[in-house]
Amino acid sequence: MVETQRINRFTKRINRGELNTIAALKALSELPDSPGGPVLRSALYELNRLVGLDQVKEVVLEIKAYLEIQQKRAACGLRSSPQMLHMIFKGNPGTGKTTVARLLGQIFKGLGVLPRGHLVEVERADLVGEYIGQTAQKTREKLKDSRGGILFVDEAYSLGRGGEKDFGKEAIDVLVKGMEDWRSEFILVLAGYRLQMSQFVALNPGLSSRFPLQIDFPDYTVHELLAIADMMATERHYQWSPAARLRLERYLANKLLYQRPHFSNARLVRNILEKSLRRQALRLSRRENLSREDLVLIDRADLAVEDR
Amino acid sequence: MTRKIAVVGAPASGKTLFSINWCEYLGATRLYYYELNGTGRRKGTITPSEARKRMVSKGRSQPARTFIINQPGQSPSRLAITDTFSLLHKTILNAKERMQLSFTLKTLATTDIILNLVDLTCSDPHQVEFIAAVDRHLSEFSTRRAVHYRLLGNKIDLLKNRSKIPGWPVSGPLIPISVKTRAGFELLREKIF
Ligand SMILES: Nc1nc2c(ncn2[C@@H]2O[C@H](COP(=O)(O)OP(=O)(O)OP(=O)(O)O)[C@@H](O)[C@H]2O)c(=O)[nH]1
Ligand SMILES: Nc1ncnc2c1ncn2[C@@H]1O[C@H](COP(=O)(O)OP(=O)(O)OP(=O)(O)O)[C@@H](O)[C@H]1O
Ligand SMILES: [Mg+2]
Ligand SMILES: [Mg+2]
């Protein structure tokens, strides 16, 4: 059994005298989750629950299967080829990139690929400095924070703008060096809008080969956005009234038609919901004798959208 | 199906007496056991009172053993309680102690419930620090693995009253018990089943 093998690996260390009682218990507490253990299970459950994103889910399952098979092969003495897991996420705002990256961290932790699996989310300003030398230092700092987990660079293409003199280039160089020096200790995810990311990769030929996994996050359909709205409301113990839902549907369809690509997808839905909840509260605060249903229902009048 | 309980703790914290008395408290009159000492294994059947006479600590270097009892009509119907080697607060362990620690870790890695027994009458600050560190790692391990974990403060019969329970820096509530008088067993039963 894999579990016994995992334990044997460090009882060997005890027998060599490398671990005393406290050190051994600490090592035990840090041992990655057993395959199919709770961390992995709950992350996969969360991933599955996300609306749509079929292609994303498929890629994640492929990676998971590949890693599991590699572990089994290694256990049989077969050569296992380590997979480079650095990724590029392409998609418009609010299409779930950050959410998926966070779950991937948990999944990799569950599979024993990353010891911590946490997500460090940064953007250009966190990496790039104003004077010479500052960029390398800032970027290295973030690399260090993300060891054992995922470094997620949002709007990564902005590192490539501004030409040769720009410090963004320096940040890229430090990141690439980090990928080589700290192989298998962290995973780098570069995220951004589809078009800009494709240009960015094209302009930096070294990158494409280092990021074998490029995942597309398509815009959600109206139908999917409504399902997300339902899910977000239910999670918070609210419910859209049928009239509110219908109005929301019309509003989203319109936005989708006229505002792409500056349409913020699930984030827009979340903002509408959160604003609507405040409006509902205001409406209810003027009334007395509220029933459970009153407290749950979001009315058409609460819906925080402006009809034109 | 067998439910597995690992009883861990420092020397003389009451692991062995707890294991025996808990089996008896659950209604067992004969305990099947297999024992592991430095050199080999032994197995047999024993009554609780005989076990108390023979197995409860009188000196150093106690073996570890697993008691197995049947609980007809209960689910799961078998209970295996492992009375582990004591956890030693030492920088360097000798060969035998290493073997014992390895055994304890294997037990912890495969158990359903971890009971960590601490002796509330302990007053040595270094030992208290050790107890707190053990508790911290076990509590972290159990949250990650979704294993049940309980910290038991033993020997309350030796404290003048409950207000004398020391405020140690531990991970969570300490369940006060006396393994000897079986005070607190009722509460413990609710908490672990
Ligand atoms: N007064 C009192 N004495 C206890 C209690 N629990 C255990 N003891 C005594 O503490 C001593 C050690 O008990 P054991 O059960 O052998 O402890 P252990 O943890 O198995 O010890 P090792 O196997 O040597 O690590 C014995 O003399 C017990 O009678 C208790 O609740 N109250
Ligand atoms: N498929 C989905 N199902 C349910 N909720 C979703 C889904 N996708 C995104 N969300 C929710 O929408 C919100 C925005 O998602 P997220 O922050 O992951 O998007 P993003 O792609 O990182 O956006 P940006 O590029 O603007 O940072 C979050 O609250 C997230 O939980
Ligand atoms: Mg984001
Ligand atoms: Mg003992």
Side-chain angles (χ1 to χ4, degrees):
Chain A
M1 219 178 90
V2 184
E3 184 65 16
T4 0
Q5 275 172 3
R6 282 148 38 94
I7 301 297
N8 282 346
R9 214 175 303 157
F10 79 95
T11 55
K12 270 190 200 132
R13 293 183 58 200
I14 296 174
N15 296 336
R16 285 199 299 265
E18 290 169 17
L19 302 172
N20 67 8
T21 308
I22 293 295
L25 289 176
K26 181 161 185 288
L28 181 73
S29 77
E30 287 166 357
L31 197 69
D33 201 17
S34 54
V39 172
L40 185 61
R41 270 203 311 268
S42 85
L44 287 172
Y45 173 79
E46 288 297 323
L47 180 72
N48 247 324
R49 242 167 47 104
L50 292 178
V51 174
L53 296 175
D54 292 339
Q55 197 214 332
V56 177
K57 290 173 186 170
E58 207 168 297
V59 176
V60 173
L61 290 184
E62 261 174 39
I63 299 171
K64 172 178 170 286
Y66 182 80
L67 292 170
E68 282 170 348
I69 292 300
Q70 292 305 311
Q71 284 168 0
K72 287 194 177 138
R73 286 172 55 92
C76 289
L78 292 166
R79 183 169 299 165
S80 62
S81 21
Q83 160 93 321
M84 291 247 278
L85 294 171
H86 305 295
M87 305 178 199
I88 289 179
F89 285 6
K90 297 178 192 171
N92 284 330
T95 46
K97 299 182 295 292
T98 308
T99 308
V100 168
R102 184 162 288 121
L103 290 174
L104 270 178
Q106 294 306 301
I107 290 170
F108 289 148
K109 171 176 166 174
L111 289 168
V113 175
L114 290 174
R116 292 175 65 198
H118 64 303
L119 188 77
V120 176
E121 199 176 349
V122 298
E123 51 182 37
R124 184 185 155 94
D126 299 306
L127 302 178
V128 174
E130 260 129 50
Y131 48 86
I132 291 177
Q134 201 188 9
T135 300
Q137 190 196 338
K138 283 176 97 170
T139 307
R140 265 190 231 114
E141 195 107 320
K142 292 297 174 188
L143 277 170
K144 213 165 92 198
D145 292 347
S146 66
R147 273 176 96 164
I150 292 185
L151 180 60
F152 181 90
V153 186
D154 219 351
E155 292 173 49
Y157 52 83
S158 66
L159 294 175
R161 73 167 183 227
E164 278 304 316
K165 290 270 161 55
D166 187 79
F167 289 142
K169 278 259 183 293
E170 192 181 348
I172 299 176
D173 292 342
V174 176
L175 290 175
V176 167
K177 185 155 188 313
M179 291 162 75
E180 262 141 35
D181 293 351
W182 293 343
R183 249 164 207 287
S184 73
E185 280 185 67
F186 81 108
I187 288 171
L188 184 59
V189 177
L190 302 183
Y193 303 153
R194 186 171 311 118
L195 195 64
Q196 280 92 331
M197 283 311 282
S198 302
Q199 286 170 350
F200 175 60
V201 174
L203 286 175
N204 295 271
L207 287 182
S208 165
S209 60
R210 292 191 165 88
F211 292 88
L213 298 163
Q214 305 203 5
I215 305 184
D216 251 312
F217 288 70
D219 282 330
Y220 294 115
T221 63
V222 173
H223 188 76
E224 286 170 336
L225 289 170
L226 276 178
I228 291 172
D230 286 340
M231 182 173 151
M232 287 179 173
T234 313
E235 262 171 9
R236 295 166 171 78
H237 287 187
Y238 283 93
Q239 209 180 320
W240 303 98
S241 76
R245 204 168 177 280
L246 193 64
R247 189 171 167 207
L248 178 63
E249 179 175 354
R250 294 222 180 99
Y251 176 80
L252 290 172
N254 216 311
K255 277 261 170 193
L256 205 54
L257 203 58
Y258 294 110
Q259 278 208 359
R260 265 204 290 209
H262 302 290
F263 170 74
S264 61
N265 285 283
R267 158 124 3 103
L268 174 68
V269 172
R270 194 178 69 192
N271 291 341
I272 294 174
L273 171 68
E274 280 169 1
K275 197 157 172 208
S276 305
L277 298 189
R278 291 195 294 273
R279 283 170 57 158
Q280 186 235 34
L282 190 64
R283 173 173 62 83
L284 295 182
S285 67
R286 300 193 192 102
R287 285 181 39 191
E288 272 166 53
N289 301 328
L290 296 170
S291 69
R292 188 186 163 87
E293 201 189 337
D294 292 331
L295 292 167
V296 166
L297 217 60
I298 311 164
D299 250 354
R300 188 172 193 282
D302 302 329
L303 190 70
V305 300
E306 328 77 43
D307 292 315
R308 287 162 312 136
Chain B
M1 260 278 288
T2 305
R3 191 197 298 272
K4 290 187 261 179
I5 302 183
V7 183
V8 299
S13 51
K15 299 178 292 298
T16 306
L17 189 58
F18 171 82
S19 306
I20 300 165
N21 286 1
W22 187 254
C23 290
E24 192 176 47
Y25 172 74
L26 294 181
T29 51
R30 297 190 69 73
L31 316 176
Y32 174 78
Y33 70 95
Y34 55 90
E35 196 162 85
L36 201 77
N37 58 31
T39 49
R41 295 157 184 277
R42 222 167 45 164
K43 52 185 176 181
T45 319
I46 194 166
T47 64
S49 60
E50 197 57 27
R52 275 189 291 270
K53 254 182 253 156
R54 293 228 311 257
M55 295 171 176
V56 172
S57 194
K58 291 187 193 71
R60 307 189 327 113
S61 188
Q62 295 295 307
R65 63 201 38 98
T66 300
F67 295 105
I68 295 173
I69 62 172
N70 287 310
Q71 299 179 283
Q74 299 239 0
S75 164
S77 62
R78 256 153 57 107
L79 195 64
I81 302 186
T82 302
D83 166 24
T84 59
F85 297 106
S86 30
L87 296 173
L88 301 176
H89 185 194
K90 289 172 111 184
T91 318
I92 294 172
L93 303 172
N94 67 33
K96 185 171 166 192
E97 291 161 350
R98 291 176 195 171
M99 182 285 286
Q100 297 181 335
L101 179 58
S102 298
F103 171 82
T104 304
L105 285 184
K106 276 185 206 155
T107 309
L108 286 170
T110 53
T111 194
D112 303 312
I113 299 173
I114 300 171
L115 300 179
N116 181 11
L117 269 180
V118 301
D119 182 346
L120 291 178
T121 66
C122 167
S123 57
D124 171 6
H126 287 296
Q127 186 63 17
V128 171
E129 216 171 276
F130 174 71
I131 288 172
V134 168
D135 164 61
R136 190 171 62 245
H137 295 314
L138 287 178
S139 129
E140 193 153 305
F141 169 70
S142 58
T143 351
R144 291 188 54 159
R145 292 296 194 92
V147 174
H148 295 280
Y149 171 66
R150 293 286 182 260
L151 182 63
L152 312 184
N154 187 25
K155 309 198 185 178
I156 47 164
D157 59 303
L158 296 178
L159 302 178
K160 281 211 191 67
N161 55 55
R162 294 277 167 119
S163 69
K164 292 280 187 284
I165 294 179
W168 290 340
V170 287
S171 66
L174 218 139
I175 303 173
I177 59 167
S178 166
V179 166
K180 192 172 170 189
T181 67
R182 303 171 201 212
F185 273 28
E186 204 75 31
L187 180 69
L188 179 59
R189 187 185 198 155
E190 278 167 30
K191 295 239 170 180
I192 62 176
F193 297 114

